[in-house]
């Protein structure tokens, strides 16, 4: 009888340990999912505001022209970076290059470099990674002596 009770206790304990492990796994994945959803929501709000700017007949190049930024670099060449590059095409704001941690896999009309490369002097770097501005900005400032702005500020300040 004692052996059966002991065996039952071990089985119950084993089940509890498995449940705890599963809960940690679930919790970790929920946190990852929430971070992705937050990034998507920030991107959606940014792009929504950008549409409102376009509906007013404005171009983001106005922000750079008013600030005296003629030559810029874009950090983050995902959808937002590509859209910014397209928006600035044919304006007085010249995009000299893009910067991305996946520079080797990105193809664009401009050179795409990584922060490990030698970076040409620009008037400003625009960071399009909406949820990582602070960390990215610090890394850029280690390589370049110029202002670093968030695309969020550009879109909302125009």
């Amino acid at each position: 009888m004692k052996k059966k009770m002991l065996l039952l206790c071990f089985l119950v304990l084993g089940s509890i340990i498995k449940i705890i492990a599963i809960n940690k796994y679930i919790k970790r994945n929920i946190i990852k999912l929430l971070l992705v959803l937050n990034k998507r929501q920030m991107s959606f709000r940014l792009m929504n505001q950008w549409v409102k700017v376009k509906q007013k007949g404005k171009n983001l190049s106005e922000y750079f022209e008013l600030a005296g930024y003629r030559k810029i670099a874009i950090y983050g060449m995902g959808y937002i970076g590509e859209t910014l590059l397209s928006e600035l095409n044919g304006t007085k704001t010249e995009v000299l290059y893009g910067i991305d941690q996946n520079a080797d896999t990105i193809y664009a009309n401009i050179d795409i470099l990584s922060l490990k490369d030698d970076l040409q002097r620009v008037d400003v770097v625009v960071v399009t990674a909406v949820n990582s501005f602070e960390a990215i900005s610090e890394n850029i400032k280690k390589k370049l002596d110029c202002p670093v702005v968030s695309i969020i500020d550009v879109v909302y300040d125009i």
Side-chain angles (χ1 to χ4, degrees):
M1 183 73 166
K2 288 183 181 180
K3 287 184 179 181
K4 286 184 181 179
M5 286 297 286
L6 189 58
L7 180 60
L8 183 60
C9 287
F10 279 126
L11 289 173
V12 169
L13 183 61
S15 296
I16 291 171
I17 291 171
K18 286 180 184 177
I19 290 170
I20 291 170
I22 289 170
N23 283 340
K24 286 182 181 178
Y25 174 78
I26 291 170
K27 187 185 289 185
R28 191 174 336 121
N29 283 328
I30 288 172
I31 290 169
K32 287 180 184 177
L33 179 61
L34 289 174
L35 290 172
V36 169
L37 289 174
N38 183 49
K39 178 181 176 183
R40 297 289 185 245
Q41 183 180 35
M42 288 176 68
S43 296
F44 173 80
R45 287 183 178 175
L46 170 75
M47 297 307 278
N48 187 58
Q49 180 63 26
W50 200 335
V51 168
K52 290 177 183 179
V53 168
K54 296 302 290 179
Q55 288 173 335
K56 291 178 184 176
K58 295 185 176 188
N59 188 299
L60 297 190
S61 65
E62 294 173 35
Y63 173 92
F64 301 108
E65 290 172 25
L66 287 172
Y69 301 139
R70 298 280 185 232
K71 297 181 180 193
I72 73 167
I74 299 172
Y75 183 99
M77 292 306 297
Y79 294 117
I80 296 171
E82 288 177 1
T83 304
L84 178 59
L85 178 62
S86 177
E87 169 116 352
L88 297 176
N89 189 28
T91 68
K92 294 178 183 177
T93 306
E94 181 183 4
V95 180
L96 295 187
Y97 55 88
I99 308 168
D100 199 287
Q101 62 186 6
N102 299 314
D104 296 341
T105 63
I106 298 172
Y107 301 96
N109 297 346
I110 57 171
D111 290 334
I112 308 297
L113 308 169
S114 78
L115 284 177
K116 296 175 186 173
D117 295 319
D118 290 329
L119 303 176
Q120 182 180 351
R121 170 113 172 80
V122 291
D123 297 326
V124 67
V125 177
V126 183
V127 176
T128 65
V130 294
N131 62 336
S132 305
F133 175 75
E134 294 301 326
I136 292 169
S137 177
E138 288 178 25
N139 289 330
I140 293 170
K141 289 179 181 181
K142 291 176 186 174
K143 292 283 293 188
L144 290 170
D145 183 26
C146 68
V148 180
V149 298
S150 169
I151 186 66
I152 294 171
D153 293 334
V154 174
V155 170
Y156 279 90
D157 289 349
I158 190 73

